[in-house]
């Protein structure tokens, strides 16, 4: 034996089956030794679930109870499957199959295709978006890049939930999905997509599962052959199983019950892809004799971080919340979570970057620090702040902001407008820089109101909205700046952020951070409207947002920083408030929903020195209140109407339609988008108040002196019931 053999890089395998159990806690040992009958492991974040199930397999193999080739362990990512195989080899259990659902199904399908179907197996396509584009062309439906991604996602969801094209519309409605297009169009595109695949003799990844299920259902001889090989099944991350994957698992099992599943309903954050925790929560119902083991000893995070995580779930509601696990930290005490409030988003990013710089200077490796946010569009502010602070970073799960296709395309459009804007009719009627940027980006898909729901179209809109916001901030910081100045600023930012950053602070969305952990985690943008996200409307969607924040909190081993900004940009109205999920948890707040929090609130509220109070105080504005119910308004659209969206409207529908027709004429004659004349919200506000004179019209948010001068006479004439010709005669 060489010295290297005994190093941590080459650990020795345990010398006996009993030695495999060494170092396991009582609950993990229970998992490892429960080798007969169905077993359900409810494993909280950081409780060593992978350790427990790999030691279970290894113990069974080393004790001679399980034959390595008879075990199939399935999980959801190639990384997780590779980690499982590596651990099993170290434990002396080489030969066990550890694969993703798709990898296991594809292997079986390739082997049995000649016998079950005959001929050669169709080619497997890596990306289906090109086929969806061809299907759209066949249906004469125009889809841009973002819509293609969203329609592709809907097709994938349909297939994993075993929904056929004819049933898409009712199934989507029942699931509460917001379709990116009319449901009938989605169904048409889905059917055309399947036709294109058949014509070209190709299959996609969902087909791999569907075809394997079909073969096992129709060919009992093949099903029995697979069952003869695999006698024992282990499923990791069972809360993320889709109905199609569950059906495949049932066919693998047959009438047997040699199954071990591991999961945590409180970490279900992928329901939009068809994942559901119901299979995990119903496991005891389907298998009344199952052994259920709960892993709650948290080896990852300090008691302070665990206390906050438990507090988040204590306020949760719904079925998953009823099965929540209360974690118990096994680590020594650490620092309390830091709660920081900032005046605006750039200040929040600068504060995080400054603190990260201090941590790195004190010896914390940059690779052990992460900044986690809700949407990928938030990354640009933090990319810039870290670059300005000379902090290396790496972006996980998304392209760098300036590398995104919509941002590159928008930058090209802005550069062209800066050079040839004098010949662009879109810019004829706009004078200030933000208006010019909005006008140019309206041709790239930006609108004043975000698209409904989530998905690629929403992500693209958020990227363009980030550019609009950047233009507003740039103009405020540099009065008189031109479009060419802004383009130069964008180029400078892009160049600065393209520097090689192999090792650095991780920037990641909360979804892409699942399964990872760091010594230091900054949870940023934890404010209403972002956490929960604005398009989370139903109770189920709100609770999934809470679970997403829980996943973020439990990524931290020792240091946790939670922050939010009161306004988007410097000088903006401080109308935002911290996320409702922090109510009762951050000092100075009280719980407003859900159950009592066990053990009381955790953490202290302290910002980073020097980030607040440096700017001169502005006179506080009187809060806008709904004229119907009196509630304080924070949404810009509601403030424009001076009422909540849900409150009754006294709008004159006929007046609103006349205003819309007039606006359309104005937009056509000026060659600009309709919203550049007046937005829908402004027209609604005008139709609700029906102003009699210029003074009343000027009070309506969104009118302004320039538009009052240009359009005031027409709008007042329409409100008075006059035709525009009559108005001209009176003048």
């Amino acid at each position: 034996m060489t010295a290297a053999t005994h190093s941590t890089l080459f650990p020795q395998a345990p010398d006996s089956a009993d030695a495999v159990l060494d170092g396991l806690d009582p609950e993990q040992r229970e998992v490892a030794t429960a080798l007969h009958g169905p077993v359900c492991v409810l494993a909280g974040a950081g409780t060593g679930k992978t350790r427990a199930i790999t030691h279970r397999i290894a113990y069974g193999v080393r004790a001679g109870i399980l034959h390595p080739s008879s075990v199939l362990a399935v999980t959801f990512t190639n990384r997780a499957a590779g980690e499982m195989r590596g651990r099993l080899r170290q434990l002396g259990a080489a030969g066990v199959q550890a694969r993703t659902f798709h990898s296991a199904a594809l292997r079986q399908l390739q082997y049995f295709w000649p016998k079950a179907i005959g001929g050669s197996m169709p080619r497997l396509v890596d990306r289906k978006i090109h086929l969806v584009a061809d299907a759209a062309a066949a249906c004469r439906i125009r889809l841009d890049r973002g819509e293609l991604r969203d329609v592709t996602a809907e097709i994938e969801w349909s297939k994993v939930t075993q929904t056929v094209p004819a049933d898409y519309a009712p199934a989507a409605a029942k699931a509460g999905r917001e379709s990116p297009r009319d449901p009938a169009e989605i169904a048409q595109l889905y059917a055309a997509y399947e036709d294109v695949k058949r014509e070209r003799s190709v299959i996609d990844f969902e087909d791999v599962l569907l075809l394997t299920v079909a073969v096992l259902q129709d060919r009992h001889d093949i099903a029995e052959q697979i069952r003869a090989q695999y006698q024992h099944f282990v499923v990791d991350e069972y809360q993320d199983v889709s109905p199609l994957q569950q059906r495949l698992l049932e066919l693998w099992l047959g009438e047997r019950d040699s199954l071990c599943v591991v999961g945590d309903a409180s970490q279900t954050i992928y329901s939009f892809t068809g994942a559901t925790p119901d299979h995990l929560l119903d496991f005891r119902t389907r298998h009344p004799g199952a052994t259920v083991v709960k892993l709650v000893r948290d080896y990852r995070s300090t008691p302070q971080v665990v206390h906050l995580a438990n507090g988040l779930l204590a306020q949760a509601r719904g079925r998953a919340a009823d099965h929540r696990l209360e974690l118990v930290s096994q680590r020594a005490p650490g620092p309390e979570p830091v709660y920081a409030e900032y005046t605006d988003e750039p200040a929040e990013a600068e504060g995080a970057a400054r603190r990260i710089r201090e941590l790195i200077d004190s010896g914390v490796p940059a690779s052990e620090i992460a900044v986690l946010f809700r949407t990928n569009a938030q990354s640009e502010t933090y990319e810039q702040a870290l670059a300005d602070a000379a902090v290396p970073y790496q972006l996980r799960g998304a392209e760098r902001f300036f590398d995104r296709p919509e941002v590159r395309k928008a930058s090209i459009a802005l550069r062209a407008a800066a050079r040839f804007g004098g010949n662009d009719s879109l810019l004829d009627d706009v004078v200030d820089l933000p208006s010019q940027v909005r006008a140019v980006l309206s041709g790239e898909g930006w609108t004043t109101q975000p698209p409904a729901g989530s998905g690629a179209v929403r992500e693209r809109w958020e990227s363009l909205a980030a550019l609009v916001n950047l233009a507003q901030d740039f103009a405020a910081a540099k009065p008189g700046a031109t479009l060419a100045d802004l383009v130069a600023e964008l180029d400078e930012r892009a160049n600065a952020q393209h520097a090689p950053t192999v090792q650095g602070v991780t920037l990641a969305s909360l979804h892409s951070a699942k399964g990872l952990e760091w010594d230091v985690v900054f949870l940023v943008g934890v404010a209403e409207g972002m956490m929960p996200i604005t398009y989370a409307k139903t109770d189920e969607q709100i609770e999934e947002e809470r679970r997403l924040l829980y996943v973020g909190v439990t990524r931290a081993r020792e240091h946790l920083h939670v922050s939010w900004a009161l306004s988007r940009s410097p000088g903006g109205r401080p109308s935002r408030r911290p996320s409702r999920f922090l109510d009762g948890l951050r000092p100075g707040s009280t719980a407003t929903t859900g159950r009592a929090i066990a053990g009381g609130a955790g953490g202290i509220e302290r910002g980073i020195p020097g980030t607040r109070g440096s700017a001169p105080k502005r006179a506080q504005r009187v809060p806008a209140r709904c004229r119907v119910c009196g509630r304080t308004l924070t949404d810009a659209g509601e403030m424009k109407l001076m009422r909540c969206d849900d409150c009754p409207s006294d709008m004159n529908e006929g007046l609103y339609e006349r205003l819309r027709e007039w606006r359309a004429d104005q937009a056509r004659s000026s060659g600009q988008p309709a919203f550049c004349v007046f937005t829908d919200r402004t027209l609604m506000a005008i139709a609700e108040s029906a102003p009699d004179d210029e003074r009343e019209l000027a009070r309506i948010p969104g009118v302004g002196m320039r538009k009052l001068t240009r359009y005031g006479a027409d709008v007042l004439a329409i409100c008075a019931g006059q035709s525009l010709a009559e108005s001209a005669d009176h003048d």
Side-chain angles (χ1 to χ4, degrees):
M1 291 266 182
T2 64
T5 308
H6 297 282
S7 74
T8 55
L9 291 176
F10 301 94
Q12 277 189 299
D15 57 12
S16 67
D18 288 340
V20 172
L21 304 178
D22 291 345
L24 299 182
D25 66 33
E27 293 79 23
Q28 292 172 341
R29 181 179 285 258
E30 182 67 29
V31 173
T33 55
L35 295 172
H36 300 287
V39 177
C40 178
V41 183
L42 301 177
T47 57
K49 66 179 179 64
T50 305
R51 176 180 174 83
I53 59 175
T54 51
H55 280 69
R56 178 181 192 272
I57 296 170
Y59 177 72
V61 170
R62 299 293 297 276
I65 299 171
L66 303 175
H67 192 279
S69 63
S70 73
V71 180
L72 177 59
V74 287
T75 186
F76 285 82
T77 66
N78 289 320
R79 181 182 62 82
E83 180 185 355
M84 194 177 291
R85 287 193 296 270
R87 291 200 190 193
L88 289 169
R89 281 194 299 271
Q90 292 173 3
L91 293 170
V96 172
Q97 292 292 317
R99 297 180 173 273
T100 65
F101 269 100
H102 283 90
S103 172
L106 179 60
R107 194 163 182 253
Q108 294 170 14
L109 194 62
Q110 289 171 330
Y111 183 81
F112 288 108
W113 187 276
K115 180 178 179 180
I117 299 167
S120 59
M121 183 174 151
R123 180 174 61 87
L124 177 64
V125 292
D126 291 331
R127 299 177 69 245
K128 56 175 70 69
I129 197 166
H130 300 301
L131 299 177
V132 176
D134 291 341
C139 296
R140 300 183 182 278
I141 296 175
R142 291 178 60 87
L143 299 176
D144 61 31
R145 185 180 179 86
E147 289 175 318
L148 277 172
R149 286 172 56 194
D150 286 344
V151 170
T152 301
E154 288 303 292
I155 291 174
E156 290 173 350
W157 172 82
S158 300
K159 299 182 80 164
V160 301
T161 56
Q162 298 177 282
T163 302
V164 298
D167 295 336
Y168 169 78
K174 183 178 180 181
R177 294 183 73 82
E178 290 197 39
S179 300
R181 307 271 301 197
D182 182 88
E185 278 190 332
I186 300 290
Q188 182 185 3
L189 290 165
Y190 179 12
Y193 168 77
E194 294 298 316
D195 289 339
V196 169
K197 285 198 293 115
R198 278 191 293 271
E199 291 168 3
R200 300 180 185 179
S201 296
V202 297
I203 60 175
D204 60 30
F205 277 101
E206 288 71 41
D207 290 330
V208 170
L209 299 184
L210 285 164
L211 289 167
T212 305
V213 165
V215 167
L216 296 181
Q217 286 179 158
D218 296 342
R219 293 292 300 268
H220 297 291
D221 56 332
I222 293 176
E224 289 305 319
Q225 192 172 340
I226 290 176
R227 292 167 192 160
Q229 173 168 358
Y230 294 118
Q231 305 287 327
H232 191 86
F233 296 86
V234 177
V235 184
D236 193 13
E237 302 287 3
Y238 194 54
Q239 77 277 353
D240 292 331
V241 166
S242 70
L244 179 57
Q245 290 164 332
Q246 175 63 23
R247 180 61 186 140
L248 178 59
L249 179 62
E250 291 168 354
L251 289 166
W252 281 340
L253 273 169
E255 299 300 319
R256 300 164 302 171
D257 61 2
S258 187
L259 170 67
C260 175
V261 300
V262 188
D264 180 9
S266 296
Q267 296 189 68
T268 305
I269 59 173
Y270 297 111
S271 65
F272 57 90
T273 66
T276 170
D278 289 345
H279 304 302
L280 175 66
L281 300 178
D282 291 338
F283 191 84
R284 195 72 179 268
T285 303
R286 295 195 313 275
H287 303 280
T291 298
V292 178
V293 183
K294 296 181 180 179
L295 302 183
V296 297
R297 300 173 194 253
D298 188 319
Y299 297 94
R300 175 188 300 159
S301 304
T302 63
Q304 288 75 13
V305 172
V306 166
H307 186 71
L308 176 57
N310 286 337
L312 282 172
L313 293 188
Q315 300 183 64
R317 299 183 177 189
R319 193 170 180 225
D322 293 337
H323 294 78
R324 74 191 189 282
L325 300 168
E326 181 132 0
L327 301 176
V328 181
S329 176
Q330 305 299 297
R331 292 192 55 182
E336 296 285 353
V338 174
Y339 298 91
E341 181 175 278
Y342 295 89
T343 54
D344 51 67
E345 288 179 3
E348 183 182 10
E350 291 163 10
R354 183 163 53 249
R355 179 59 184 142
I356 289 170
R357 180 74 267 170
E358 293 170 357
L359 288 167
I360 294 174
D361 291 343
S362 70
V364 178
S367 59
E368 286 298 340
I369 304 173
V371 178
L372 307 182
F373 34 75
R374 176 60 181 84
T375 68
N376 287 325
Q378 292 171 270
S379 74
E380 192 275 335
T381 305
Y382 290 90
E383 291 175 50
Q384 183 64 42
L386 291 174
D388 290 345
V391 173
Y393 66 87
Q394 53 187 339
L395 202 60
R396 179 180 177 85
E399 295 169 293
R400 295 176 187 272
F401 182 80
F402 288 102
D403 286 345
R404 295 171 194 167
E406 64 271 18
V407 175
R408 288 203 306 267
K409 191 176 177 184
S411 298
I412 291 171
L414 290 170
R415 184 173 290 104
R419 290 178 179 173
F420 312 111
N423 299 321
D424 191 339
S425 61
L426 278 175
L427 303 180
D428 287 347
D429 203 40
V430 291
V431 290
D432 61 344
L433 176 60
S435 297
Q436 290 176 330
V437 172
R438 287 193 292 268
V440 172
L441 296 189
S442 66
E444 303 300 321
W446 178 82
T447 57
T448 54
Q449 297 296 322
S454 57
V457 171
R458 176 79 185 213
E459 289 176 4
R460 186 183 64 179
W461 181 88
E462 287 173 341
S463 294
L464 297 179
L467 288 175
V468 171
N469 294 336
L470 192 150
Q472 293 171 343
D473 297 342
F474 186 70
K478 297 186 176 182
T482 65
L483 196 54
D485 295 330
L486 176 65
V487 169
E489 171 73 10
L490 294 178
D491 288 342
E492 189 175 321
R493 289 183 176 226
N495 291 333
Q497 295 171 32
H498 283 166
T501 53
V502 177
Q503 290 294 325
V505 172
T506 299
L507 293 178
S509 70
L510 287 165
H511 280 102
S512 64
K514 177 77 164 61
L516 303 174
E517 57 186 73
W518 297 269
D519 285 344
V520 186
V521 169
F522 287 77
L523 292 176
V524 299
V526 189
E528 285 293 305
M530 195 58 71
M531 180 58 65
I533 198 78
T534 49
Y535 51 76
K537 303 292 186 185
T538 67
D539 290 343
E540 292 82 2
Q541 291 168 338
I542 295 294
E543 288 306 315
E544 183 149 337
E545 293 288 299
R546 187 193 306 277
R547 295 194 294 271
L548 192 56
L549 182 58
Y550 171 81
V551 166
V553 168
T554 55
R555 299 310 96 194
R557 297 191 191 105
E558 187 170 0
H559 297 274
L560 179 64
H561 298 251
V562 184
S563 63
W564 58 90
L566 297 177
S567 66
R568 185 194 61 75
S569 56
R573 191 168 63 86
S575 59
R576 295 178 176 175
R577 63 174 296 268
S579 169
R580 71 190 76 171
F581 299 147
L582 299 179
D583 290 348
L585 299 175
R586 58 185 181 88
S589 66
T590 56
T592 56
T593 60
R595 306 166 176 81
I597 302 170
I604 59 173
E605 185 164 6
R606 62 174 183 271
I608 299 172
T611 59
R612 301 193 63 198
S614 56
K617 291 185 177 180
R618 300 187 302 272
Q620 289 191 346
R621 300 183 184 181
V622 177
R625 298 189 182 278
C626 174
R627 54 189 167 84
V628 180
C629 70
R631 182 179 71 85
T632 300
L633 303 176
T634 58
D635 178 77
E638 291 182 339
M639 287 191 288
K640 191 168 284 189
L641 296 175
M642 289 307 292
R643 65 170 175 81
C644 304
D645 276 334
D646 297 334
C647 284
S649 168
D650 52 1
M651 182 177 70
N652 183 325
E653 296 286 351
L655 174 56
Y656 179 64
E657 289 305 319
R658 290 195 298 275
L659 288 168
R660 281 175 59 87
E661 292 172 3
W662 165 81
R663 182 183 66 173
D665 291 339
Q666 291 291 326
R668 278 193 295 271
S669 63
S670 62
Q672 61 182 338
F675 68 81
C676 289
V677 181
F678 285 120
T679 66
D680 286 346
R681 290 276 189 169
T682 301
L683 290 189
M684 290 174 66
I686 294 171
E688 288 189 355
S689 60
D692 292 326
D693 53 39
E694 286 191 354
R695 187 165 54 89
E696 291 182 4
L697 179 59
R699 287 190 188 134
I700 297 174
V703 175
M705 288 306 299
R706 187 174 64 85
K707 291 189 177 182
L708 183 67
T709 301
R710 180 166 185 177
Y711 303 125
D714 283 0
V715 171
L716 291 173
I718 294 170
C719 290
Q722 302 174 358
S723 69
L724 296 184
E726 291 175 0
S727 175
D729 290 342
H730 289 309
D731 293 341

